[in-house]
Amino acid sequence: METFKRKRRLTPDDNPLVRAVARLPVRVHTKLLVAFVGTALLVVAVAVLGLRLLGESNDRVTTLGDLQERASQYRRLGEKATQVRSLVGTNADEGFRTFFLPGQPPDSAELRAFMDRYAVGQAKALAEETKPDRLGFIPPREDEEVLQSIRETSRRLQTALLKPESLQRQTEAEQLSGNLRIDASELANAAAAEAKALIAQNASAYESSRNLFIGAAAGAILLGMTLGFVLSWSLIGPIQRIDRRLAATASGDFAGHVEVSNRDELGALATNVNRMNDELRRLYKELETASQHKSDFLASMSHELRTPLNAIIGFSQVLREGMVGDVNDKQAEYLDDILSSGNHLLSLINDVLDLSKVEAGQVELDVAPFSLQEALERGVAMVRERATRDGVQVSLAANPDLDVVAGDERRIRQVIFNLLSNAVKFTPAGGCVDVWATQVNGEVSVSVADAGPGIATEDLKRIFEEFQQTEAGIEQGEGTGLGLALSKRLVELHGGRIWVDSELGSGSTFVFTLPARGV
């Protein structure tokens, strides 16, 4: 029992969260609106997060580009500082003379003066390159301090180079030019290190942003699916239970009630379904009681009516045959009318009695093997007199492969006679009624086709109900609409089916089937 409860708790309909949502005292429209808005907010949140992550990535790329530009400019400053340092070095004149002034003596005073002037120009150019308008960007405060140091060192170097030639002057110039190179290298190295760090940070940030976005998207999907699952089953579950209850009610089971915990329109619907079920159960019991009373009344009255009616018919036959004296023509005509009406009334009473017994479940079939072909021949013989009188031909197709079947012969002959009587009655003079029987797919089928006026489509099912007739039947003035209803119930008691294929103006073909037992 515990296992069964645990299994039921895992079903969507019994999920605690689903039941909690179902119990919310709000309308279905509001629940759906909340679900749609919640889903939209989740989508918006994921979109906003994605835009933010893209913006941060774009900012890092822009910053990295600026850093690379700074590093490039600082490397250019370093190259210029290195050039200045080479111009003021102890052995600078030899390299400079060999490259620029080949053939001049190495101790040329003119060469030294030229190199000093060139070094002053390069130092001045280096100072100019450190200004923001030449760099192409505004350097950070920490870089600005170093750049300011480069400008100050460059100015001092220019002053030192303009002094008269001496060892102290050379030493000071070499020291200042070395400081320029150190400061410029420091800027370049710092910018390169910062760019490298930013690249590493960008890679790490990309991975973090990717994981964050995937996690947020997965969370949004999970929340959306959970919201959809909970809301849908808070609606689908009650609808399914109501549908099962309605199906049971439609099949005649009024014992149960539908259990719906919703406090919305579905809860109200379930309450109304239960109320309708109870009302239908009450009405069904009343109808069963009334039907039973009707059946009892009809059975009793039919039995009570048949006794005096048999006496009327019997005495009328005695008088008609002249057993108590001769009758004149007028009296004979009246006696014929009495006999015809009496037999018609007796047939009607018998049909009512048989139908009431079938409805009350009091008919027990006497199933035994019998010749279906012989039953069809007897039925044709019973209607042949009237058919001949009305100018109608009745033909029975022989089927040597079909003879003995199992069933209640008297009831099957009753069905055959009802169908043949209707066929002869509705077939005009000169017409033909065809009867045949076949065996197909484990069933024996009997068909009776007439050449009558046909039946409208809307009447094809109605004619098998009690006291229902077509317009042609009403115009005939014969019958009460019980023959086909009784035939239908007798065939169904045998486990068969009965139907009609017909169109207005094209005649009708009535077919009934029986299981091929004993064939």
Side-chain angles (χ1 to χ4, degrees), residues 343-466:
N343 286 323
H344 177 69
L345 183 58
L346 181 60
S347 175
L348 173 62
I349 291 173
N350 287 334
D351 286 345
V352 171
L353 182 59
D354 287 340
L355 189 61
S356 63
K357 286 182 178 179
V358 171
E359 290 181 345
Q362 298 175 356
V363 173
E364 294 184 2
L365 299 179
D366 184 12
V367 179
F370 70 95
S371 172
L372 180 61
Q373 189 70 23
E374 184 179 341
L376 292 173
E377 291 174 355
R378 288 186 181 182
V380 170
M382 291 176 65
V383 299
R384 182 158 286 151
E385 180 181 356
R386 175 174 178 174
T388 303
R389 185 174 66 248
D390 295 344
V392 177
Q393 181 181 357
V394 181
S395 63
L396 172 61
N399 187 348
D401 298 330
L402 179 66
D403 190 15
V404 178
V405 298
D408 190 325
E409 182 179 4
R410 185 174 72 86
R411 296 300 185 182
I412 298 301
R413 288 173 58 187
Q414 187 176 359
V415 173
I416 294 171
F417 177 74
N418 284 340
L419 296 181
L420 286 172
S421 297
N422 286 341
V424 170
K425 178 173 64 175
F426 289 106
T427 300
C432 182
V433 174
D434 295 319
V435 185
W436 68 93
T438 58
Q439 179 179 344
V440 179
N441 296 330
E443 286 185 331
V444 177
S445 66
V446 177
S447 304
V448 178
D450 62 52
I455 303 172
T457 303
E458 60 271 16
D459 294 332
L460 292 179
K461 291 185 178 180
R462 186 175 63 86
I463 59 174
F464 290 102
E465 299 176 2
E466 296 90 342

